[in-house]
Amino acid sequence: MVSEGGDKTGSYGKIAKTESVSIVSAAISCDAEFLQYMSSLKWEGYVHSIFDRTVNLHSRTNDEFYTIANRQVDNAPNTLITDRDGFANQGLAVGDRVYVEHDRLYVGKAFVLTLRDVRVWRSKLPSYPDDEGNLRSNAAAAASFIEIYGKGSGIKRTSERANAMDQEMGRLLTERSNGLLRALSMGEASLASHYAIQLMGLGPGLTPSGDDFLVGLFAVINLADGPLQPFRPMCEQVAAASADRSNPISGMALKKAAAGQVRESIGDFMHHMIHGSKTEVIRSLSRVLDIGSTSGTDIALGLVKGLKLSLDKKWEV
C-alpha cells in the first residue's frame, strides 16, 4: 500500500533503501520546541503546501503544522530556517513524506536537512514598561508610519478597493476590529471574544487579514506585566475556535500568538517600541510591514492598536 506521504514500505518505519535524496542542505536555525520534538520523538509527517520561500508540513506525531523556510525568512514558532534559496520547482510534491532520522530531516526525495549544528531560537517578548513615556512617543510614530507606508486592502482602509465584494470585506474588517478594541477598552472579555472570532478567516490570502490583526493584538496581550494580561484566556479561547473558521497554517500562527510566541521580526519591533529610539522603531517596523502582501500591515496594526489600548487603560477608569 502506498501511504499519503509516498512511502512504499507499507509502514512508517525504516525508509526503503531504494529511495534517495538529491540535495543535502544545512539547517541554520530552528524554533526550540520544533527542534525538541524532532530530537526526542520519532517525528514524521508530510508536505502540506509548497511556496517559493516556504514549505509547510503537517506532523503525524502531534498533529501540528510546521514550516521549512529559506534564508530570507525570519525565525518564527514551529519554523526551521535553511540555507536554501527557494523551494518551488525543486521536485517536492504535496503529500511527500517528511521524517527525522540520525540528526537529519528528510523532505520527500527532494532534499535532506542536516540538524547537527543548527542554532536554537526561542520566541521572546519584552515586558511592559514601568515608564510609558518612550512607548507612548514610539506608538504615535509607528501609527503615522503605517498610515503612510502600510499596504491597504486589509485592515487598513483604502479608497482603491476594486469592487463591491472588496468594499464589503473592508467594511466588515473595520467593524469587527473596532468592535473588538472597543470591547477590550470596556473590559468586556466575552464581547471581545465574540468580535475576535468573527474576525477569523476574514480577508484574502493564506493568512487572512483578520487573523493577522489578531496575531499582533495577541502579542500585546501577552506582554509580561502589561495592562491587557487579564485577557490572555480570551486569546486561548479564540485560537481554539480557529479550526472551524480559518485554514490550518493561519490557525497555528494564532495558537502560538495566543501563547505569546511570535516571529522574530515582531519580537524585535515590540522590543524597540518599548526600549528603542524612533529610528530603531521605524527600521524594525519596516521589517514587519514586509511580511507577505498585506499581512505585515495587518499584524502591525494589531500591535500598535493593542499598545495604544494598553496606554489608554480605559477599562480601569
Side-chain angles (χ1 to χ4, degrees):
M1 184 179 97
V2 178
S3 74
E4 183 179 2
D7 175 33
K8 297 180 175 62
T9 65
S11 70
Y12 291 103
K14 293 184 177 179
I15 192 167
K17 291 183 179 180
T18 56
E19 295 188 26
S20 60
V21 177
S22 58
I23 300 173
V24 177
S25 298
I28 297 174
S29 60
C30 185
D31 170 58
E33 290 187 10
F34 187 9
L35 189 61
Q36 182 179 4
Y37 274 124
M38 290 191 289
S39 301
S40 60
L41 301 173
K42 190 170 179 60
W43 193 98
E44 67 97 9
Y46 62 91
V47 173
H48 173 271
S49 50
I50 305 164
F51 300 92
D52 186 42
R53 300 201 302 171
T54 60
V55 176
N56 295 311
L57 315 174
H58 187 194
S59 168
R60 289 190 174 95
T61 307
N62 61 359
D63 201 35
E64 286 206 359
F65 285 83
Y66 296 85
T67 298
I68 299 172
N70 75 353
R71 68 179 82 223
Q72 297 175 329
V73 176
D74 58 322
N75 287 298
N78 282 19
T79 298
L80 185 153
I81 306 298
T82 75
D83 64 358
R84 295 178 62 83
D85 293 321
F87 302 98
N89 303 315
Q90 297 296 307
L92 276 176
V94 171
D96 278 353
R97 184 189 177 204
V98 183
Y99 68 101
V100 175
E101 193 173 88
H102 304 309
D103 296 323
R104 290 189 168 197
L105 178 66
Y106 292 82
V107 186
K109 297 181 182 180
F111 60 90
V112 59
L113 296 170
T114 59
L115 303 173
R116 187 176 298 275
D117 298 319
V118 65
R119 178 172 62 87
V120 180
W121 174 82
R122 291 178 174 82
S123 177
K124 185 177 181 180
L125 287 170
S127 297
Y128 195 82
D130 294 327
D131 183 349
E132 296 176 328
N134 194 53
L135 174 58
R136 192 176 298 277
S137 175
N138 284 339
S144 297
F145 191 83
I146 295 170
E147 181 62 30
I148 297 171
Y149 297 104
K151 300 171 186 175
S153 80
I155 295 290
K156 185 176 184 290
R157 296 303 298 269
T158 174
S159 59
E160 300 176 358
R161 294 187 186 274
N163 52 52
M165 184 178 295
D166 290 340
Q167 291 174 7
E168 176 63 9
M169 183 71 70
R171 185 189 70 79
L172 290 173
L173 285 167
T174 299
E175 178 184 276
R176 294 174 185 180
S177 59
N178 286 345
L180 169 57
L181 295 170
R182 186 167 55 252
L184 290 173
S185 73
M186 297 185 296
E188 296 286 348
S190 179
L191 182 59
S193 178
H194 165 77
Y195 278 112
I197 290 173
Q198 293 299 311
L199 267 177
M200 284 193 302
L202 192 60
L206 183 64
T207 57
S209 294
D211 297 36
D212 290 326
F213 180 82
L214 291 173
V215 166
L217 183 62
F218 285 2
V220 178
I221 292 174
N222 275 277
L223 291 178
D225 304 320
L228 294 176
Q229 266 196 324
F231 296 105
R232 279 182 175 178
M234 181 209 73
C235 298
E236 297 172 358
Q237 178 186 358
V238 171
S242 65
D244 297 326
R245 303 191 67 92
S246 193
N247 67 72
I249 304 303
S250 188
M252 187 55 61
L254 281 169
K255 176 182 176 181
K256 294 297 180 179
Q261 298 179 39
V262 292
R263 60 195 298 165
E264 188 172 28
S265 54
I266 296 174
D268 288 346
F269 171 67
M270 294 290 277
H271 173 80
H272 289 135
M273 284 288 285
I274 292 171
H275 302 292
S277 65
K278 285 187 177 61
T279 299
E280 290 172 320
V281 165
I282 298 306
R283 185 184 302 122
S284 58
L285 174 56
S286 296
R287 288 185 64 207
V288 175
L289 294 179
D290 283 340
I291 298 171
S293 178
T294 64
S295 287
T297 298
D298 296 324
I299 293 169
L301 284 170
L303 292 165
V304 172
K305 288 182 180 295
L307 288 170
K308 292 180 74 174
L309 189 64
S310 299
L311 291 164
D312 290 342
K313 301 181 185 63
K314 291 181 180 178
W315 66 93
E316 295 183 357
V317 177

